[in-house]
Amino acid sequence: MLWDTHMHSAFSGDSDAAPESMVQAAMHYPVDGVCFTDHMDYDYPEEPDLFLLDTDSYFSSMKELQEKYRDRFPIRIGIEIGLQPHLAGRLNTLLNRYPFDFVIGSSHVVHGLDPYYARFYDGKTEREAYLEYFESILENLDAFNNFDVYGHIDYVVRYGPNKNADYSYQKYSDILDCILKRLIDMGKGIEVNTAGFKYGLGHPNPTEDILSRYHELGGEILTVGADAHKPEHVAYDFDRIPSILKAAGFKYYTVFKNRQPEFVRIP
């Protein structure tokens, strides 16, 4: 069994799920444990308060949940931070204040626009839009390194005009290799995010070829998450993950506690 270490609750602006309902779904699936990673996206365009996490209430609620399930099911407290270069100082202040187990750094906003919205693609070819997204990851890595894994590296293909119909690792290999090498050199990991299956892509984010390339380049830190915002999406298509990871060359996946990686053999 696996841990689901990317999930959201009503503490995120895009979820209505009670945290305990997510835990119960995970126990029913079952998985070995979970880590909540609710959103904190400062300076989110048009809706600046949408993803501002009430961190004090979040920690209080999660601590209560940990205590309630202490002898039955492991629960860890993480966060998914939306990276933008100008936010580095503000994000460091946040992360130095709270004892998170796990920090996902993600690109949700690129030069003031979220690729979730069609406006991001206006006046660009799909390739130009995807390249801008990947280039923004390198800009974030130039500015900030206080995270544990980079989330859903090819998030942009969930929402592009043709999604991933014309997308592959090979078509963007130069910049994807730059990202992967940079993360490895920084001692950071990536995640395999099964929401790609939920969105009908037929692949996780990132794709299997990117996972294989990450391993080939020497990457070892790899977490697993469904990016669930509802109980029914917890551990989404996790039955596919062991064979995908083994085919990419991995024998272990990673779970974080107190910002330290723990390597768990893939079942």
Side-chain angles (χ1 to χ4, degrees):
M1 293 187 288
L2 300 166
W3 280 65
D4 189 340
T5 61
H6 187 156
M7 66 166 51
H8 301 277
S9 73
F11 283 99
S12 288
D14 54 358
S15 174
D16 296 319
E20 189 166 10
S21 72
M22 304 295 279
V23 171
Q24 291 172 346
M27 294 175 70
H28 177 75
Y29 180 76
V31 296
D32 282 343
V34 299
C35 183
F36 283 89
T37 53
D38 277 302
H39 285 293
M40 177 67 94
D41 275 65
Y42 294 121
D43 289 358
Y44 190 77
E46 298 183 14
E47 299 178 87
D49 298 331
L50 181 61
F51 295 116
L52 294 184
L53 180 63
D54 183 346
T55 321
D56 289 336
S57 295
Y58 178 60
F59 259 88
S60 177
S61 177
M62 293 300 165
K63 290 290 186 184
E64 290 178 6
L65 205 56
Q66 282 181 326
E67 182 60 26
K68 181 174 181 177
Y69 286 87
R70 179 167 56 91
D71 298 323
R72 290 184 283 164
F73 190 73
I75 300 166
R76 295 184 184 169
I77 307 173
I79 190 170
E80 183 180 13
I81 52 174
L83 303 184
Q84 300 183 63
H86 72 281
L87 296 177
R90 195 173 180 186
L91 290 171
N92 276 320
T93 298
L94 171 73
L95 298 176
N96 290 335
R97 182 178 175 188
Y98 294 96
F100 292 104
D101 285 306
F102 179 46
V103 177
I104 301 174
S106 293
S107 292
H108 297 132
V109 177
V110 178
H111 307 141
L113 294 172
D114 187 338
Y116 177 84
Y117 296 104
R119 194 155 61 90
F120 176 75
Y121 306 91
D122 288 349
K124 306 168 189 169
T125 66
E126 188 173 73
R127 179 173 176 80
E128 288 170 342
Y130 286 8
L131 282 173
E132 182 179 2
Y133 181 83
F134 293 134
E135 288 164 358
S136 79
I137 293 178
L138 292 174
E139 292 167 8
N140 288 327
L141 296 179
D142 284 339
F144 186 77
N145 65 3
N146 192 3
F147 60 89
D148 302 313
V149 304
Y150 216 100
H152 44 54
I153 283 176
D154 52 8
Y155 162 89
V156 68
V157 305
R158 293 181 185 174
Y159 309 111
N162 300 296
K163 293 195 173 182
N164 64 340
D166 299 314
Y167 165 75
S168 67
Y169 159 72
Q170 289 76 15
K171 289 185 177 180
Y172 296 87
S173 60
D174 288 350
I175 192 162
L176 286 168
D177 278 1
C178 286
I179 293 168
L180 296 176
K181 290 174 183 177
R182 186 75 176 277
L183 288 167
I184 293 167
D185 288 346
M186 294 169 71
K188 307 300 180 183
I190 64 172
E191 68 163 354
V192 53
N193 185 309
T194 62
F197 295 122
K198 181 182 70 179
Y199 283 95
L201 303 180
H203 302 276
N205 297 112
T207 63
E208 295 89 341
D209 284 347
I210 296 174
L211 296 173
S212 295
R213 182 59 172 157
Y214 174 65
H215 181 268
E216 182 180 324
L217 291 170
E220 298 179 337
I221 299 171
L222 182 72
T223 60
V224 180
D227 206 349
H229 292 69
K230 301 177 180 180
E232 57 264 36
H233 294 150
V234 170
Y236 193 90
D237 270 0
F238 265 30
D239 56 316
R240 300 191 187 197
I241 293 303
S243 61
I244 288 173
L245 298 188
K246 289 175 182 177
F250 291 94
K251 295 180 179 178
Y252 297 88
Y253 73 100
T254 313
V255 176
F256 278 81
K257 184 176 183 179
N258 298 323
R259 304 286 308 274
Q260 296 299 312
E262 302 172 344
F263 293 91
V264 183
R265 183 170 285 276
I266 297 166

